Coordinates of all heavy atoms in Angstrom, one line a residue:
P2 N 187.0 -77.1 90.1 CA 187.9 -77.1 91.2 C 189.4 -77.3 90.7 O 189.6 -77.9 89.7 CB 187.5 -78.2 92.1 CG 186.3 -78.8 91.6 CD 186.0 -78.2 90.3
E3 N 190.3 -76.8 91.5 CA 191.8 -76.8 91.1 C 192.2 -78.2 90.8 O 192.9 -78.4 89.8 CB 192.6 -76.2 92.2 CG 194.1 -76.0 91.9 CD 194.4 -75.2 90.7 OE1 193.6 -74.3 90.3 OE2 195.4 -75.5 90.1
A4 N 191.8 -79.2 91.6 CA 192.3 -80.6 91.4 C 191.8 -81.0 90.0 O 192.6 -81.7 89.3 CB 191.7 -81.5 92.4
E5 N 190.6 -80.7 89.6 CA 190.1 -81.1 88.3 C 190.8 -80.4 87.2 O 191.1 -81.0 86.1 CB 188.6 -81.0 88.3 CG 187.9 -82.1 89.0 CD 186.4 -82.0 88.8 OE1 185.9 -81.7 87.7 OE2 185.7 -82.2 89.8
L6 N 191.0 -79.1 87.4 CA 191.7 -78.3 86.4 C 193.1 -78.9 86.1 O 193.5 -79.1 85.0 CB 191.9 -76.9 86.9 CG 190.8 -75.9 86.6 CD1 191.1 -74.6 87.2 CD2 190.7 -75.7 85.0
E7 N 193.8 -79.2 87.2 CA 195.1 -79.9 87.1 C 195.0 -81.1 86.3 O 195.8 -81.4 85.4 CB 195.6 -80.2 88.5 CG 197.0 -80.8 88.6 CD 198.1 -79.7 88.5 OE1 197.8 -78.5 88.4 OE2 199.2 -80.1 88.5
Q8 N 194.0 -81.9 86.6 CA 193.7 -83.2 85.9 C 193.5 -82.9 84.4 O 193.9 -83.7 83.5 CB 192.4 -83.8 86.5 CG 192.2 -85.2 86.1 CD 193.3 -86.1 86.8 OE1 193.8 -85.8 87.9 NE2 193.8 -87.1 86.1
E9 N 192.9 -81.8 84.1 CA 192.5 -81.5 82.7 C 193.7 -81.1 81.9 O 193.7 -81.1 80.7 CB 191.4 -80.4 82.6 CG 190.1 -80.9 83.2 CD 189.4 -81.9 82.3 OE1 189.2 -81.6 81.1 OE2 189.0 -82.9 82.8
R10 N 194.7 -80.5 82.6 CA 195.9 -80.0 81.9 C 196.5 -81.0 81.0 O 196.7 -82.1 81.4 CB 196.9 -79.4 82.8 CG 196.5 -78.0 83.2 CD 197.5 -77.4 84.2 NE 196.8 -76.3 84.9 CZ 196.8 -76.1 86.2 NH1 197.5 -76.9 87.0 NH2 196.2 -75.1 86.7
I11 N 196.9 -80.6 79.8 CA 197.5 -81.5 78.9 C 199.0 -81.8 79.4 O 199.7 -80.8 79.7 CB 197.5 -80.9 77.4 CG1 196.1 -80.8 77.0 CG2 198.3 -81.8 76.5 CD1 195.9 -80.0 75.7
M12 N 199.3 -83.0 79.4 CA 200.6 -83.4 79.9 C 201.7 -82.9 78.9 O 201.5 -83.0 77.7 CB 200.6 -84.9 80.0 CG 201.8 -85.4 80.7 SD 201.8 -87.1 80.5 CE 203.5 -87.3 80.9
E13 N 202.8 -82.5 79.4 CA 203.8 -82.0 78.5 C 204.7 -83.2 78.1 O 205.3 -83.9 79.0 CB 204.7 -81.0 79.2 CG 204.1 -79.6 79.1 CD 205.0 -78.6 79.7 OE1 206.2 -78.7 79.6 OE2 204.5 -77.6 80.3
I14 N 204.7 -83.5 76.9 CA 205.6 -84.6 76.3 C 206.8 -83.9 75.8 O 206.8 -82.9 75.1 CB 204.8 -85.3 75.2 CG1 203.4 -85.7 75.5 CG2 205.7 -86.4 74.6 CD1 203.3 -87.0 76.3
N15 N 208.0 -84.5 76.1 CA 209.2 -84.0 75.6 C 210.1 -85.2 75.1 O 209.7 -86.3 75.1 CB 209.9 -83.1 76.7 CG 210.2 -84.0 77.9 OD1 211.0 -84.9 77.8 ND2 209.6 -83.6 79.0
G16 N 211.3 -84.9 74.8 CA 212.2 -85.9 74.2 C 212.6 -87.0 75.2 O 213.1 -88.0 74.8
R17 N 212.4 -86.8 76.5 CA 212.8 -87.8 77.5 C 211.6 -88.5 78.0 O 211.8 -89.4 78.9 CB 213.5 -87.1 78.7 CG 214.9 -86.6 78.3 CD 215.5 -85.8 79.5 NE 214.7 -84.7 79.8 CZ 214.7 -83.5 79.2 NH1 215.5 -83.3 78.1 NH2 213.9 -82.5 79.5
T18 N 210.4 -88.2 77.6 CA 209.2 -88.9 78.1 C 209.2 -90.4 77.9 O 209.4 -90.8 76.7 CB 207.9 -88.3 77.5 OG1 207.9 -86.8 77.7 CG2 206.7 -88.9 78.1
R19 N 209.0 -91.1 78.9 CA 209.0 -92.6 78.8 C 207.5 -93.0 78.6 O 206.6 -92.4 79.1 CB 209.5 -93.3 80.0 CG 211.0 -93.0 80.3 CD 211.9 -93.4 79.2 NE 211.9 -94.8 78.9 CZ 212.6 -95.7 79.4 NH1 213.4 -95.5 80.4 NH2 212.5 -97.0 79.0
T20 N 207.4 -94.1 77.8 CA 206.0 -94.6 77.5 C 205.7 -95.9 78.3 O 206.5 -96.8 78.4 CB 205.9 -94.9 76.0 OG1 206.4 -93.8 75.3 CG2 204.5 -95.2 75.6
C21 N 204.5 -95.9 78.9 CA 203.9 -97.1 79.4 C 202.5 -97.2 78.8 O 202.0 -96.3 78.2 CB 203.8 -97.0 80.9 SG 205.3 -97.1 81.8
G22 N 201.9 -98.4 78.9 CA 200.6 -98.5 78.4 C 199.9 -99.8 78.7 O 200.4 -100.6 79.4
L23 N 198.8 -100.0 78.1 CA 198.0 -101.2 78.2 C 197.8 -101.9 76.9 O 197.4 -101.2 75.9 CB 196.6 -100.8 78.8 CG 195.5 -101.9 78.9 CD1 195.9 -102.9 80.0 CD2 194.1 -101.3 79.1
I24 N 198.0 -103.2 76.9 CA 197.7 -103.9 75.6 C 196.6 -104.9 76.0 O 196.5 -105.5 77.0 CB 198.9 -104.7 75.0 CG1 199.6 -105.6 76.1 CG2 199.9 -103.7 74.5 CD1 200.7 -106.5 75.5
G25 N 195.6 -105.0 75.0 CA 194.5 -105.9 75.2 C 193.5 -105.8 74.1 O 193.8 -105.1 73.1
N26 N 192.4 -106.4 74.2 CA 191.4 -106.4 73.1 C 190.1 -106.7 73.7 O 189.8 -107.9 73.9 CB 191.8 -107.3 72.0 CG 190.8 -107.3 70.8 OD1 189.9 -106.4 70.8 ND2 191.0 -108.2 69.9
P27 N 189.2 -105.8 74.0 CA 189.3 -104.3 73.8 C 190.1 -103.6 74.9 O 190.3 -104.2 76.0 CB 187.9 -103.9 73.7 CG 187.2 -104.8 74.7 CD 187.9 -106.1 74.6
V28 N 190.4 -102.4 74.6 CA 191.0 -101.5 75.7 C 190.3 -100.2 75.8 O 190.6 -99.4 76.7 CB 192.5 -101.2 75.4 CG1 193.4 -102.5 75.5 CG2 192.7 -100.5 74.0
E29 N 189.2 -100.0 75.0 CA 188.6 -98.7 74.9 C 188.0 -98.2 76.3 O 187.8 -97.0 76.5 CB 187.6 -98.7 73.8 CG 188.2 -98.7 72.4 CD 188.9 -100.0 72.0 OE1 188.6 -101.1 72.6 OE2 189.7 -100.0 71.0
H30 N 187.6 -99.2 77.1 CA 186.9 -98.7 78.4 C 187.8 -98.7 79.6 O 187.4 -98.6 80.7 CB 185.7 -99.7 78.6 CG 184.8 -99.7 77.5 ND1 184.0 -98.5 77.2 CD2 184.4 -100.6 76.6 CE1 183.3 -98.8 76.1 NE2 183.5 -100.0 75.7
T31 N 189.1 -98.8 79.3 CA 190.1 -98.9 80.5 C 190.1 -97.6 81.3 O 190.0 -96.5 80.8 CB 191.5 -99.2 80.0 OG1 192.4 -99.2 81.2 CG2 192.0 -98.1 79.0
M32 N 190.3 -97.8 82.7 CA 190.5 -96.7 83.6 C 192.0 -96.5 83.9 O 192.3 -95.6 84.7 CB 189.7 -97.0 84.9 CG 188.3 -97.1 84.7 SD 187.6 -95.6 83.9 CE 186.5 -96.3 82.8
S33 N 192.8 -97.4 83.4 CA 194.3 -97.3 83.8 C 195.0 -96.0 83.5 O 195.8 -95.6 84.3 CB 195.0 -98.5 83.2 OG 194.5 -99.7 83.8
P34 N 194.7 -95.4 82.3 CA 195.4 -94.1 82.1 C 195.1 -93.1 83.2 O 196.0 -92.3 83.5 CB 194.8 -93.7 80.7 CG 194.4 -94.9 80.0 CD 193.9 -95.8 81.1
A35 N 193.9 -93.1 83.7 CA 193.6 -92.1 84.8 C 194.5 -92.4 86.0 O 195.0 -91.5 86.6 CB 192.1 -92.2 85.2
I36 N 194.7 -93.7 86.3 CA 195.5 -94.0 87.5 C 197.0 -93.6 87.2 O 197.6 -92.8 88.0 CB 195.5 -95.5 87.8 CG1 194.1 -96.0 88.0 CG2 196.4 -95.9 88.9 CD1 194.0 -97.6 88.1
H37 N 197.5 -94.0 86.1 CA 199.0 -93.9 85.9 C 199.4 -92.4 85.6 O 200.4 -91.9 86.0 CB 199.5 -94.9 84.8 CG 199.3 -96.3 85.3 ND1 200.1 -96.8 86.2 CD2 198.4 -97.2 84.9 CE1 199.7 -98.1 86.4 NE2 198.7 -98.3 85.7
N38 N 198.6 -91.8 84.8 CA 198.9 -90.4 84.4 C 198.8 -89.5 85.6 O 199.5 -88.5 85.7 CB 198.1 -89.9 83.2 CG 198.6 -90.7 81.9 OD1 199.7 -91.0 81.7 ND2 197.6 -91.1 81.1
T39 N 197.8 -89.8 86.5 CA 197.7 -89.0 87.7 C 198.9 -89.2 88.6 O 199.5 -88.3 89.1 CB 196.4 -89.4 88.5 OG1 195.3 -89.2 87.7 CG2 196.3 -88.7 89.8
L40 N 199.3 -90.5 88.8 CA 200.5 -90.7 89.6 C 201.8 -90.1 89.0 O 202.6 -89.5 89.7 CB 200.7 -92.3 89.7 CG 199.7 -93.0 90.6 CD1 199.9 -94.5 90.5 CD2 199.7 -92.5 92.0
A41 N 201.9 -90.1 87.7 CA 203.1 -89.5 87.0 C 203.1 -88.0 87.3 O 204.1 -87.4 87.6 CB 203.0 -89.8 85.5
R42 N 201.9 -87.4 87.3 CA 201.8 -86.0 87.6 C 202.2 -85.7 89.0 O 203.0 -84.8 89.3 CB 200.4 -85.5 87.2 CG 200.2 -84.0 87.5 CD 198.7 -83.5 87.2 NE 197.7 -84.3 87.9 CZ 197.4 -84.3 89.2 NH1 198.0 -83.5 90.0 NH2 196.4 -85.0 89.6
I43 N 201.6 -86.5 89.9 CA 201.9 -86.2 91.4 C 203.4 -86.4 91.6 O 203.9 -85.6 92.4 CB 201.1 -87.3 92.2 CG1 199.6 -87.1 92.1 CG2 201.5 -87.2 93.7 CD1 198.8 -88.2 92.8
Y44 N 204.0 -87.4 91.1 CA 205.4 -87.7 91.4 C 206.4 -86.9 90.5 O 207.6 -87.0 90.7 CB 205.7 -89.2 91.4 CG 205.1 -89.9 92.6 CD1 203.9 -90.6 92.5 CD2 205.7 -89.8 93.9 CE1 203.3 -91.2 93.6 CE2 205.2 -90.4 95.0 CZ 204.0 -91.1 94.8 OH 203.4 -91.7 96.0
G45 N 205.8 -86.2 89.5 CA 206.7 -85.5 88.6 C 207.5 -86.4 87.7 O 208.6 -86.1 87.2
H46 N 207.0 -87.6 87.5 CA 207.7 -88.6 86.6 C 207.4 -88.2 85.1 O 206.2 -87.9 84.8 CB 207.3 -90.0 86.8 CG 207.8 -90.5 88.1 ND1 207.0 -91.4 89.0 CD2 209.0 -90.4 88.8 CE1 207.7 -91.7 90.0 NE2 208.9 -91.1 90.0

Side-chain angles (χ1 to χ4, degrees):
E3 182 57 28
E5 280 185 43
L6 269 175
E7 182 79 1
Q8 196 66 36
E9 293 288 307
R10 275 181 201 131
I11 295 167
M12 194 190 158
E13 276 185 36
I14 308 279
N15 60 61
R17 289 174 302 279
T18 303
R19 298 301 302 272
T20 311
C21 288
L23 172 72
I24 54 173
N26 181 7
V28 292
E29 286 70 18
H30 301 293
T31 178
M32 295 306 137
S33 292
I36 301 173
H37 295 289
N38 291 321
T39 299
L40 291 173
R42 178 181 54 74
I43 295 171
Y44 286 101
H46 290 141

